[in-house]
DNA sequence: GGCCCCTTTTGTATCGTTCTAAATGGAACG
DNA sequence: CGTTCCATTTAGAACGATACAAAAGGGGCC
């Protein structure tokens, strides 16, 4: 590809030592004499040498990269996660190999096997919906440490980092209960996605603990986008009595619901309470500011990267399951029910 | 690092042919006999062979990766851009090496030299503010093709892909002029950032063409965030006559300004017109929906990746400058001035 | 001078591929 | 039966680095 890339041999020739010596200089070995080191360093600079890590990795049978596979960076949650991963990996001298699946298991197959050919030291994978753990194991092999993020896979010889969806949703629901709500919907998300199931479960836990039966018509599905959520607002009000509050699948849905409520002349934070999930930056500046469950995806990214580095350094470690706690952030979109 | 990674030699031994033959099978060479191919392929599957692209790249003096360096993925504009880059690179069989600078030139140095050691076929760089082109050239060397995105660098032997900030802002301003506005502010952004300067220039162009003088008090700075923008709203109204419309630095600023206007009892899209820049997803669903200039960062990412691949395939190509047109999207936040 | 020891340097094999040129082994031909 | 030719296969040297063991050079000591 290149006209000519400068190599160890060029430097060695240029200052009349052996390749081995130059290599020792590069790695700051105490073996080389001060004078020689000076001479070699000058030549390195003169010729504009750049280290070839691939060659070194090949010889040493090591790797200095970690693969990161997510659905889609345009989802801010994953973008933040990726930023956290890259930050930590970079600080440890590793480089991030990026791949995205777009929620397609087929593309996930392709991406994983391509990335795997680059022999990453480890893989951080947020699996596409409906992934088959055994199949994925077949693709990446048993060598490479994998950390699964966000969605559990059936066959789990792998590290797993999850948000505590269930407890997070439970906290949001309990908060609404404390404010005096009794008719609390769960709004948005696809019921067949695992994160939605878990959040619904947390919602159910809280209601059950309060001795309140769950009405199926208060479980409303919608695609997890603002627009779709806004369009589904009406579904909450088809039957009497309507709910007085909704725990939303995530912030996008919650913001959409607030739009939908406004359009019906119902003021969120006054006539109806709304909670979100994720605490995206907008949540703090919406009108009203959104009460939500913070997951801090950037910190999760750092955590994932740290764990995978740990695994790389100590391959004998036993896979573990980590549940990141999700904390409630109370703002203005939740209030006591009207006529309370 | 690994207990043992299966290599060509293992396969060769396993089915009693030479390494060379196995290599030919892997690359679908027409030279190998059908029977041999079958035998080898079976053995490949049996042992769970995975190709080592690093070794192949070393031998062939090629590379199958492209480095992508951005400020920060948590900015949705760059996240979308990255998604577009990765999509196109992935489809071409390349892998994306990620790096982020956080707008620090020092970190940019570090990140670039680390990435460069992995010998990427090309680099897509959205430079940190105040980058020194000559210095960067020193780091990456003259070998590797570089595409600079979004911010021009002084020393330009490199491809450059820019948004047409100036014309975009000009279009937005012309749109407001056509609606009948005469007192049009430029709101938000840091005046020392190049993109802000360019957009202000476009604003000035349009006003000048309409024979309208620019009032300095209508150029308001603010950090490019919703919150900061909302806080700066008052700065538009300190003097009489106040502007009747504002061209905003970007959508975040525009949304913030609309919040600030609402808080003053001034209804955007009725009493005051606002335009944004970027067309982030929220722009379409805000209230009122935001008139803005669409830059389609994902498409820009695809474009950047395509161009760099082109450069990789044809290193003799002359560096070029590409200005992506930015199109006005008219929605509800712009309207004729009151009492018109 | 010969011997030992210590510091510094180096030759050579190796990592897992691909490339080159050359070898192998039939079949076809005269 | 010896050639030629073709289709396959292969040995061995790269690629750019590192590891290992061994060599070289200089003191110091008897």
């Amino acid at each position: 590809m290149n006209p000519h890339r400068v190599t160890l041999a060029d430097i060695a020739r240029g200052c009349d030592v052996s390749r081995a010596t130059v290599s020792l200089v590069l790695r700051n070995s105490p073996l080389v004499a001060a004078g020689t080191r000076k001479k070699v360093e000058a030549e390195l600079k003169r010729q504009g040498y750049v280290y070839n890590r691939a060659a070194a990795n090949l010889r040493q049978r090591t790797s200095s990269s970690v693969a990161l596979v997510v659905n889609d960076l345009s989802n801010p949650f994953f973008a933040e996660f990726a930023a956290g991963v890259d930050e930590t990996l970079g600080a440890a001298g590793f480089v991030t190999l990026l791949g995205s699946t777009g929620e397609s298991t087929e593309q996930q197959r392709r991406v994983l096997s391509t990335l795997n050919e680059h022999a990453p030291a480890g893989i951080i994978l947020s699996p596409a919906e409906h992934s088959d753990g055994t199949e994925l194991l077949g693709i990446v092999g048993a060598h490479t440490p994998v950390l699964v993020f966000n969605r559990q896979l059936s066959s789990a010889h792998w590290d797993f980092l999850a948000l505590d969806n269930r407890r997070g949703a439970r906290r949001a629901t309990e908060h609404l209960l404390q404010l005096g709500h009794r008719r609390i919907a769960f709004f948005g998300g696809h019921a067949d996605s695992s994160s939605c199931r878990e959040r619904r479960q947390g919602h159910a836990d809280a209601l059950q603990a309060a001795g309140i039966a769950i009405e199926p018509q208060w479980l409303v599905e919608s695609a997890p986008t603002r627009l779709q959520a806004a369009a589904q607002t009406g579904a909450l009000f088809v039957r009497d009595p309507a709910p007085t509050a909704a725990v939303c699948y995530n912030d996008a849905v919650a913001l959409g619901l607030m739009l939908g409520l406004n359009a019906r002349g119902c003021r969120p934070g006054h006539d109806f309470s709304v909670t979100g999930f994720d605490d995206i930056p907008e949540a703090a500046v919406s009108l009203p500011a959104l009460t939500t469950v913070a997951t801090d995806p950037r910190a999760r990214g750092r955590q994932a990267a740290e764990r995978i580095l740990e695994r790389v350094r100590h391959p004998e470690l036993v896979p573990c399951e980590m549940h990141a706690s999700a904390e409630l952030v109370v703002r203005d979109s939740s209030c006591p029910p009207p006529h309370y």
Side-chain angles (χ1 to χ4, degrees), chain A residues 268-337:
Chain A
H270 268 94
D271 314 324
F272 194 95
S273 290
V274 174
T275 69
F277 211 109
D278 283 350
D279 196 24
I280 63 178
E282 295 174 65
V285 295
S286 64
L287 260 181
L290 185 62
T291 293
T292 188
V293 177
T295 56
D296 200 348
R298 195 179 200 107
R300 300 290 80 75
R302 286 192 288 253
Q303 187 179 2
E306 262 152 28
R307 173 68 189 172
I308 204 80
L309 289 174
E310 199 62 24
R311 273 308 283 277
V312 167
R313 284 189 279 260
H314 307 287
E316 73 282 6
L317 285 179
V318 180
C320 74
E321 220 170 275
M322 295 132 81
H323 288 262
S325 73
E327 300 298 335
L328 187 71
V329 180
V330 177
R331 298 205 183 92
D332 311 330
S333 66
S334 54
C335 61

Side-chain angles (χ1 to χ4, degrees), chain A residues 68 70 73 76-92 96 124 161 296-309:
Chain A
L68 169 64
V70 295
L73 282 180
F77 177 78
F78 286 116
E80 283 279 350
F81 179 75
V85 167
D86 186 55
E87 180 186 318
T88 300
L89 290 181
T96 309
I124 297 175
L161 170 61
D296 200 348
R298 195 179 200 107
R300 300 290 80 75
R302 286 192 288 253
Q303 187 179 2
E306 262 152 28
R307 173 68 189 172
I308 204 80
L309 289 174

Side-chain angles (χ1 to χ4, degrees), chain A residues 185-188 215-222 228-243 246 257 260-261 264 272:
Chain A
F186 187 97
F187 186 80
E215 307 280 335
Q217 73 268 24
W218 293 345
L219 301 179
V220 177
E221 284 191 79
S222 105
Q228 295 296 311
Q232 281 293 315
T233 305
L236 288 173
F237 301 100
V238 287
R239 294 235 213 135
D240 252 6
L257 173 58
L261 290 169
R264 302 172 63 94
F272 194 95

